Amino acid sequence: MLSSLRLLGRLMVLLLVLLLVAGVAFANLSPELEGNPTKAQRAAYANSGHYQEEKFQNLIPTSVNTGASTVAMLWKFLFQKSPEAAPPAPLPMQRLDSLSITRKTADVARVTWFGHSASLVEMAGKNILLDPMLSVKMGPISWVTPTRYNSQLAITAEELPPIDAVLISHDHYDHLDYQTIRRLKDKTQHFYVPLGVGAHLLAWGVAPEKVHELDWNDSVQLPGLTIISTPARHFSGRGLTNRNSTSWSSWVLKSATTRVFFSGDGGYGPHFRTIGAQHGPFDLALMECGQYDEQWSQIHMMPEQSVQASLDVRARAMLPVHWGAFTEANHAWNDPVRRATAEAQRLHLPLTTPVLGQPVVLGTTPLPQLPWWQTLGR
């Protein structure tokens, strides 16, 4: 009996490997993987100081996997999921339209979270989109990748008003979405991306004059608004053979009256304290808080670390992101916000927890703090 079970287990692993190989072969034919930096660009990246042997590096030693093998992690994710990995019902959502965004004065600063990391920042009269993954399905093989909890978003890419800038933190599918970029490319003035990521956008039809690659600590100036690329501790790649061929970033937004920090993805590290010293304090930190595991804790923070990172950057309040859309780790869907809330209370850090699509107005009104995730489905 034991030998039969072992044989069955091996056959299952073999089947998973064959499916993965078939998926990769299919994906390689998809335009979603298109875009590679030129030889001249790769040579220039060496000047960044964090590019060696044609791969981007983190500021401190970082491992993508500090525990079990990739096959073991895949097996755990597929067959040993938390019973609460997905919510019991669609998440509450506040619908938006273009007029609700355009009807504002220039001195209003608002942040609207759409689920996962996708967010709209309105400040200095500008509309700035962060990691706008606005699709329900993810990547070129949608039957393999996670599907969004809600079948609709608070607003579609087509419904959005003109966008002054799109900021991309890195090129993973849950942050750089082919379908969304295709829908935004004609209504967006500028795309600011980490080194190497511009090749994807150019391959997808974004006009070259709109694409701007920024190295860490590079900045650009829009009327009334400064955008700065800052370090993160993560990795990149949209396939099995191009890991770390593009860079990754966090982002700082500064106006005369407001400062916002967006962490992108990444593990905890000393870069947060440095960013806080150089660019803080921040009115709000949109901080990665979800899709974590002890085995990859160097590239994704645990919720308690997310709260500490917000304190490190000198944020007056934290908005936990990178949850509330997709299940990409083996924890309960609402575990990130539960743990972050408890830690934020312990450390006396204000935490805002809006429903999807609910604008958070900075500086004038109480922050949304309704614990809606506690009663969902009851």
Side-chain angles (χ1 to χ4, degrees):
M1 177 64 119
L2 184 59
S3 61
S4 298
L5 289 174
R6 286 175 177 168
L7 177 60
L8 179 60
R10 290 171 182 168
L11 288 174
M12 289 293 292
V13 171
L14 178 60
L15 178 61
L16 286 173
V17 171
L18 290 175
L19 287 172
L20 182 62
V21 170
V24 169
F26 172 78
N28 281 329
L29 301 176
S30 168
E32 298 211 18
L33 271 77
E34 283 185 346
N36 292 297
T38 66
K39 185 176 180 179
Q41 286 175 316
R42 293 197 300 270
Y45 295 156
N47 296 325
S48 71
H50 58 104
Y51 186 76
Q52 300 173 7
E53 298 179 353
E54 298 196 344
K55 290 186 180 298
F56 285 94
Q57 313 289 325
N58 283 293
L59 292 173
I60 60 176
T62 300
S63 173
V64 172
N65 177 20
T66 59
S69 69
T70 302
V71 172
M73 286 193 298
L74 182 62
W75 181 274
K76 178 181 177 182
F77 181 73
L78 291 176
F79 301 109
Q80 298 177 357
K81 279 186 178 180
S82 164
E84 298 177 339
L91 306 188
M93 183 175 67
Q94 180 174 319
R95 284 285 299 168
L96 296 173
D97 57 35
S98 181
L99 287 178
S100 66
I101 297 170
T102 55
R103 285 175 178 164
K104 63 177 182 292
T105 58
D107 59 344
V108 169
R110 295 189 297 202
V111 175
T112 306
W113 175 57
F114 302 128
H116 207 58
S117 294
S119 305
L120 172 68
V121 179
E122 302 167 79
M123 55 188 290
K126 305 290 188 296
N127 295 325
I128 312 296
L129 278 176
L130 308 177
D131 283 359
M133 200 299 178
L134 302 180
S135 295
V136 173
K137 297 184 180 296
M138 183 195 306
I141 318 173
S142 59
W143 49 272
V144 172
T145 52
T147 299
R148 189 178 288 270
Y149 300 150
N150 289 16
S151 60
Q152 293 182 325
L153 284 92
I155 194 168
T156 67
E158 291 85 354
E159 292 169 331
L160 283 167
I163 301 299
D164 296 281
V166 167
L167 309 186
I168 301 295
S169 65
H170 62 296
D171 69 1
H172 287 159
Y173 293 106
D174 55 335
H175 296 262
L176 177 61
D177 178 53
Y178 167 76
Q179 296 293 345
T180 302
I181 297 299
R182 292 281 296 175
R183 294 178 175 120
L184 289 175
K185 65 184 181 69
D186 294 328
K187 66 168 59 180
T188 301
Q189 290 188 28
H190 304 283
F191 291 83
Y192 297 109
V193 301
L195 299 179
V197 175
H200 296 307
L201 304 187
L202 296 176
W204 299 342
V206 179
E209 63 273 14
K210 293 184 176 184
V211 179
H212 314 275
E213 292 190 352
L214 274 65
D215 194 7
W216 291 342
N217 301 313
D218 285 348
S219 65
V220 294
Q221 197 78 39
L222 299 181
L225 182 67
T226 301
I227 298 173
I228 307 167
S229 168
T230 45
R233 188 186 182 196
H234 201 48
F235 72 110
S236 66
R238 294 174 74 83
L240 296 179
T241 61
N242 63 351
R243 176 171 288 182
N244 295 349
S245 61
T246 63
S247 188
W248 45 92
S249 295
S250 57
W251 294 94
V252 167
L253 299 174
K254 295 182 183 181
S255 73
T257 58
T258 307
R259 297 189 181 196
V260 172
F261 175 71
F262 171 49
S263 70
D265 278 7
Y268 182 74
H271 59 285
F272 289 115
R273 191 173 295 274
T274 301
I275 293 167
Q278 292 178 340
H279 303 294
F282 292 96
D283 297 278
L284 184 70
L286 291 88
M287 193 66 69
E288 179 217 87
C289 184
Q291 321 319 313
Y292 48 77
D293 192 289
E294 290 286 355
Q295 294 175 347
W296 59 79
S297 59
Q298 294 187 14
I299 55 169
H300 283 292
M301 289 183 285
M302 311 301 283
E304 294 76 15
Q305 292 176 314
S306 299
V307 173
Q308 184 59 54
S310 297
L311 292 172
D312 287 355
V313 300
R314 302 167 61 206
R316 298 189 177 101
M318 169 183 161
L319 170 58
V321 300
H322 210 244
W323 73 286
F326 304 101
T327 296
E328 299 180 296
N330 195 32
H331 58 66
W333 73 274
N334 58 1
D335 191 57
V337 69
R338 291 189 311 213
R339 289 175 58 173
T341 298
E343 184 69 359
Q345 289 175 347
R346 186 181 76 84
L347 296 178
H348 308 290
L349 175 69
L351 198 75
T352 183
T353 53
V355 300
L356 306 182
Q358 180 182 9
V360 176
V361 180
L362 302 182
T364 58
T365 60
L367 299 173
Q369 294 180 318
L370 184 68
W372 54 265
W373 63 88
Q374 294 180 357
T375 57
L376 186 67
R378 292 182 184 175

